[in-house]
Amino acid sequence: MEHALSPATLTELRRPRPYPAVSVLTPTHRREPDNTQDPVRLRNVLAEAKRQLEADPAVTRERRTEVVEQLDRALAEVDLAHAEDGLVIFAAPGEHQVWSLARPVPERVVLSDTFLTRNLVSAQAAERPFWVLSVSSGHVTLWSGGADRVIEEHVGGFPLTRSAENFDAERQEQIGDLPSTFRDEGTRHFLREADTAMSKILRDTPRPLYITGERAALSLLDEAGGATSRNAVHIPHGGLANASPDAVWQAVRPILAAEDRKSVDTVNRELVTARGRKEFAAGVDEVWQNAREARIRLLAVEENYRVTMRDDGDHLIPASSGDLDARDDIVDEIVEQCLETGADVRFVPDGTLGDAQGIAGVLRY
């Protein structure tokens, strides 16, 4: 199952497909007893997708058979034992993808000529993805981080391992002189290679970068002067290049928590200032109106804020899930729209926004 949404991947997902491109969304659960219902809900929503394919006169028999086969392949890849808060399946002629999201999604099936991506975009923004680079004199590991975990990534040449002819780990262990290891020219060259590889990844998928390693290794990366020294947060913690994901997560978690607190304080100050300047929008309807006009500069959303609305043409009206034209994921729509128009989107703890009712924005004008 996929987790990390890069700009290149999003562009590819939004590419028009031969009709029908099928998007299947269903809520999932991390823990018992709620997760016992997930297999049944998943089978039911996939059955609904197949029913809609069968009933659609625009879908030929050959095309329907092909897409149903892709849906079945996607189902075989679903791992509900490691489910998060939402599951998205995309299927079209010749392709399928399965996405696990750390944010709830509404249960729905959509047949179109593009995949429905707004829930992926919103989940990615809420998760605040980041990179962790764990370095040592002979091994460099890249981790992709999210809201509550890191996972090892095998992209861009990572993990990097120093070639045997340039690195005698057993001899260096016997010498026991770590600083001299990092003064070695071979080590300098190896870490410069890591810096170059990381620079390319950041160009393709920009995220905050955290680097763990011995102080001597971090100092060498500073000397390289590349991506690993500009705007990266250095964490003096060695031994993580070959560590477990949990060990890496425990090392970076305090730094992330401190930055989150600082970010919430900054958002609150900006919202207070915006109120005074009459550049403030609050509540889902007012924010939605301004988002459609690309007026939102900063969007603040409480982490678990979800609301179902219906569009009457001029305003959003409260609705119940299942009502005709109800939009269960209107918050995700707003988030995606704001990101598309260059707004800074911040998710904040529940209750942070007070009388703004879960969502607020700072206006550009």
Side-chain angles (χ1 to χ4, degrees):
M1 296 192 294
E2 303 286 345
H3 294 272
L5 183 66
S6 70
T9 301
L10 181 59
T11 298
E12 169 61 20
L13 286 174
R14 286 174 166 169
R15 173 178 59 83
R17 263 80 178 170
Y19 186 85
V22 181
S23 302
V24 178
L25 290 73
T26 185
T28 52
H29 304 84
R30 299 173 187 246
R31 300 176 183 85
E32 295 180 341
D34 294 332
N35 61 5
T36 58
Q37 65 183 286
D38 292 347
V40 175
R41 294 189 67 165
L42 177 58
R43 287 195 298 269
N44 288 344
V45 74
L46 285 173
E48 172 60 20
K50 294 175 182 179
R51 187 197 66 77
Q52 290 190 27
L53 287 168
E54 181 75 32
D56 192 334
V59 181
T60 65
R61 179 179 178 181
E62 293 76 15
R63 184 62 57 80
R64 180 173 63 252
T65 300
E66 187 175 1
V67 175
V68 167
E69 181 181 336
Q70 294 296 332
L71 287 171
D72 289 338
R73 290 182 180 180
L75 177 61
E77 295 178 10
V78 173
D79 181 9
L80 289 177
H82 296 91
E84 297 177 277
D85 302 307
L87 186 71
V88 177
I89 294 175
F90 296 135
E95 64 176 317
H96 67 272
Q97 292 191 34
V98 179
W99 289 84
S100 178
L101 308 183
R103 183 170 168 83
V105 298
E107 186 170 286
R108 66 188 307 187
V109 174
V110 177
L111 275 60
S112 183
D113 58 359
T114 58
F115 292 137
L116 184 68
T117 60
R118 61 173 170 257
N119 304 96
L120 269 68
V121 172
S122 181
Q124 186 82 345
E127 195 166 54
R128 299 184 293 278
F130 56 90
W131 296 116
V132 179
L133 197 67
S134 296
V135 302
S136 69
S137 58
H139 195 78
V140 180
T141 305
L142 178 66
W143 311 86
S144 176
D148 57 2
R149 69 179 187 279
V150 299
I151 57 174
E152 185 176 354
E153 286 286 351
H154 295 263
V155 297
F158 290 104
L160 294 178
T161 301
R162 193 170 169 185
S163 59
E165 61 267 23
N166 294 324
F167 181 55
D168 186 345
E170 183 177 351
R171 177 177 179 275
Q172 290 174 354
E173 183 178 343
Q174 291 171 350
I175 295 172
D177 187 6
L178 187 62
S180 66
T181 300
F182 287 105
R183 286 197 296 269
D184 174 73
E185 184 56 36
T187 303
R188 294 174 184 272
H189 178 72
F190 175 64
L191 293 183
R192 283 196 295 268
E193 287 181 348
D195 178 84
T196 300
M198 192 68 233
S199 297
K200 184 178 187 306
I201 288 175
L202 288 171
R203 285 195 299 270
D204 295 339
T205 310
R207 297 183 187 177
L209 173 63
Y210 302 86
I211 307 176
T212 72
E214 300 286 347
R215 291 186 183 277
L218 299 179
S219 178
L220 276 185
L221 288 174
D222 266 339
E223 292 178 14
T228 54
S229 63
R230 298 190 303 268
N231 302 319
V233 176
H234 287 188
I235 303 174
H237 191 309
L240 296 178
N242 292 291
S244 68
D246 185 64
V248 177
W249 170 247
Q250 295 302 329
V252 301
R253 185 171 63 172
I255 309 299
L256 297 172
E259 291 187 348
D260 283 347
R261 290 191 294 271
K262 183 178 178 181
S263 176
V264 171
D265 290 342
T266 300
V267 168
N268 280 330
R269 286 195 299 271
E270 290 219 37
L271 292 173
V272 169
T273 301
R275 282 180 184 268
R277 294 178 176 174
K278 309 299 183 184
E279 297 172 353
F280 178 79
V284 65
D285 182 48
E286 187 175 342
V287 169
W288 177 70
Q289 299 279 353
N290 284 283
R292 291 196 302 173
E293 298 171 5
R295 294 187 63 199
I296 303 290
R297 177 175 63 81
L298 168 67
L299 178 71
V301 185
E302 292 186 355
E303 289 169 350
N304 293 300
Y305 179 61
R306 314 289 295 180
V307 63
T308 300
M309 307 294 285
R310 180 171 57 83
D311 180 7
D312 73 351
D314 296 315
H315 295 279
L316 294 178
I317 298 173
S320 298
S321 183
D323 286 355
L324 184 64
D325 297 329
R327 295 158 80 164
D328 295 300
D329 53 356
I330 189 65
V331 175
D332 287 359
E333 287 189 49
I334 293 171
V335 169
E336 184 183 47
Q337 177 66 31
C338 288
L339 288 170
E340 285 289 305
T341 55
D344 182 11
V345 176
R346 306 283 189 92
F347 284 81
V348 298
D350 294 346
T352 299
L353 302 180
D355 60 2
Q357 299 176 336
I359 189 167
V362 177
L363 306 182
R364 290 190 169 100
Y365 55 91

